[in-house]
Amino acid sequence: MPSSTSRVVENAKQTSETVLADASNAMKSATENPIQAKNDFLHTPMMRAALPFINGGLAGMTATTVIQPVDMIKVRLQLAGEGVKSGPKPSPVSVVRDIVASGKIMDVYTGLSAGLLRQAVYTTARLGFFDTFMKRLTVSAESKGSKIGFKERAGAGLTAGGLAAMLGNPADLALIRMQSDGLKPAAQRANYTSVVDALARISKNEGVLRLWAGCYPTVARAMALNFGQLAFFSEAKSQLKTTSLSSRTQTLTASAVAGFFASFFSLPFDFVKTRLQKQTRAPDGTLPYKGMFDCFKQVAKDEGMLRFYRGFGTYYVRIAPHAMVTLIVADYLGFITK
């Protein structure tokens, strides 16, 4: 037994010495040639698989920080005049004026923590999934001697958007609740202090499953948005490669095109998602809308079909720059980490 124990101890000692030696050599190599060390690390199988998700999340969070005030205005526009066809018709300017008049200009950044969490989950997933799907489709197409077309890009965008939306719905719901809280009378406001506070209180007071309220239109919106944004961005970039435009101009142009189509296809679903996520139960336990289709029906009947496109200009100003910043940052991160 003692000899067996000695052998185990000796083997463990040799193993630890080997690990320490390898770590020391790796650190020495990294010190002497940091660029090579970075490249070696970035090209490990684990990092190659993770980079599309990491880059996507960082790009989305950067864009959200820039665009958050526009998103706040968009939500306030969508919730104004709920249930009334001839209700108030606020403009982006009047919404900002009301916020400034209340003496709380920083309210335009209400829900930023929820917005960042949403991007950390949603955009990380959607851009990561899309990039992964596109790489696999490209390899498959090249093995057959062909190239991927718009149909494949659209399919990758729709699938990536749907999967990511389901993961990000709780943060999205918290964002809507925080942004709409200021529209309620002071006595009825929840006054959430952060996204963690919002998620915890909603779960406790309404049940955990409530965090997935509006999931169907959220998924539909994400699929429509990704179809417009990722598929058209990829297609536009592919078409612009034959032009004399610089690489940066091609990216900007493709992003603007993608932003328009993303806005057009997704706004009606975004509108319904906002209404469903904002609603809370009445004292008798009922909700204003029974679900996505009921909300579509009620809004069309009581407020008119054009209500679904209220605030399109604001929505485009929110979606297009967000898409442009996200895609440009993701493109740049992809370039420096390739």
Side-chain angles (χ1 to χ4, degrees), residues 197-255:
D197 178 50
L199 291 172
R201 287 165 62 182
I202 293 168
S203 299
K204 180 181 178 180
N205 299 330
E206 304 174 44
V208 174
L209 291 180
R210 188 64 189 160
L211 296 176
W212 274 268
C215 188
Y216 291 133
T218 299
V219 170
R221 170 195 180 272
M223 292 176 75
L225 188 145
N226 278 269
F227 169 70
Q229 186 183 104
L230 298 180
F232 278 89
F233 175 75
S234 183
E235 182 69 18
K237 252 196 127 178
S238 177
Q239 297 293 334
L240 289 169
K241 281 183 179 179
T242 59
T243 67
S244 59
L245 296 174
S246 67
S247 178
R248 183 175 296 179
T249 304
Q250 288 179 22
T251 300
L252 285 170
T253 304
S255 298

Side-chain angles (χ1 to χ4, degrees), residues 133-144:
F133 295 156
M134 287 294 290
K135 284 178 180 175
R136 291 185 179 180
L137 287 169
T138 301
V139 170
S140 177
E142 288 177 348
S143 68
K144 298 175 184 177

Side-chain angles (χ1 to χ4, degrees), residues 21 48 51 58 61 64 68 80 93 103 106 149 208 235 245 249 251 270 278 295 298 305 314 323 329:
R48 296 325 294 173
L51 273 174
L58 290 173
M61 293 172 78
T64 287
Q68 182 68 14
V93 174
M106 290 309 294
V208 174
E235 182 69 18
L245 296 174
T249 304
T251 300
D270 184 83
K278 173 259 181 184
C295 184
Q298 284 196 49
M305 289 295 294
T314 303
V329 173

Side-chain angles (χ1 to χ4, degrees), residues 28-336:
K28 182 179 179 181
S29 176
T31 303
E32 294 173 350
N33 194 341
I35 295 177
Q36 183 61 43
K38 183 201 78 169
N39 289 336
D40 290 343
F41 175 69
L42 289 176
H43 286 85
T44 59
M46 182 180 70
M47 280 305 297
R48 296 325 294 173
L51 273 174
F53 295 86
I54 296 170
N55 291 347
L58 290 173
M61 293 172 78
T62 301
T64 287
T65 303
V66 175
I67 305 300
Q68 182 68 14
V70 180
D71 188 62
M72 173 69 166
I73 296 167
K74 182 268 297 181
V75 169
R76 292 288 179 91
L77 287 172
Q78 290 179 331
L79 295 176
E82 185 173 1
V84 183
K85 192 169 186 177
S86 58
K89 296 180 179 179
S91 67
V93 174
S94 67
V95 171
V96 173
R97 189 189 306 126
D98 289 342
I99 292 174
V100 173
S102 69
K104 297 180 179 179
I105 186 62
M106 290 309 294
D107 275 4
V108 294
Y109 271 98
T110 297
L112 178 60
S113 60
L116 292 175
L117 176 62
R118 178 178 179 274
Q119 293 301 318
V121 178
Y122 170 67
T123 303
T124 295
R126 77 184 179 93
L127 291 185
F129 282 136
F130 181 76
D131 190 76
T132 302
F133 295 156
M134 287 294 290
K135 284 178 180 175
R136 291 185 179 180
L137 287 169
T138 301
V139 170
S140 177
E142 288 177 348
S143 68
K144 298 175 184 177
S146 60
K147 293 183 178 180
I148 57 174
F150 183 76
K151 182 175 70 174
E152 288 78 15
R153 292 187 178 95
L158 288 168
T159 306
L163 290 172
M166 286 189 284
L167 294 173
N169 200 81
D172 198 36
L173 181 135
L175 174 62
I176 296 299
R177 290 291 186 87
M178 293 174 77
Q179 290 180 326
S180 64
D181 200 43
L183 293 174
K184 299 177 181 177
Q188 297 178 19
R189 293 176 187 171
N191 296 314
Y192 301 114
T193 57
S194 68
V195 62
V196 175
D197 178 50
L199 291 172
R201 287 165 62 182
I202 293 168
S203 299
K204 180 181 178 180
N205 299 330
E206 304 174 44
V208 174
L209 291 180
R210 188 64 189 160
L211 296 176
W212 274 268
C215 188
Y216 291 133
T218 299
V219 170
R221 170 195 180 272
M223 292 176 75
L225 188 145
N226 278 269
F227 169 70
Q229 186 183 104
L230 298 180
F232 278 89
F233 175 75
S234 183
E235 182 69 18
K237 252 196 127 178
S238 177
Q239 297 293 334
L240 289 169
K241 281 183 179 179
T242 59
T243 67
S244 59
L245 296 174
S246 67
S247 178
R248 183 175 296 179
T249 304
Q250 288 179 22
T251 300
L252 285 170
T253 304
S255 298
V257 171
F260 175 81
F261 284 104
S263 302
F264 179 78
F265 288 123
S266 67
L267 182 54
F269 297 107
D270 184 83
F271 181 95
V272 172
K273 174 191 74 71
T274 299
R275 288 285 179 93
L276 289 176
Q277 291 180 332
K278 173 259 181 184
Q279 66 177 351
T280 53
R281 294 189 182 278
D284 61 0
T286 60
L287 289 168
Y289 307 110
K290 297 175 183 177
M292 180 174 73
F293 294 109
D294 182 55
C295 184
F296 266 114
K297 186 174 76 172
Q298 284 196 49
V299 172
K301 177 183 176 183
D302 300 334
E303 305 173 44
M305 289 295 294
L306 290 179
R307 184 60 63 90
F308 292 113
Y309 277 95
R310 169 183 275 182
F312 179 82
T314 303
Y315 187 63
Y316 177 73
V317 170
R318 182 249 187 251
I319 290 293
H322 195 284
M324 292 172 76
V325 174
T326 300
L327 295 170
I328 290 169
V329 173
D331 248 21
Y332 178 70
L333 291 174
F335 171 75
I336 64 175

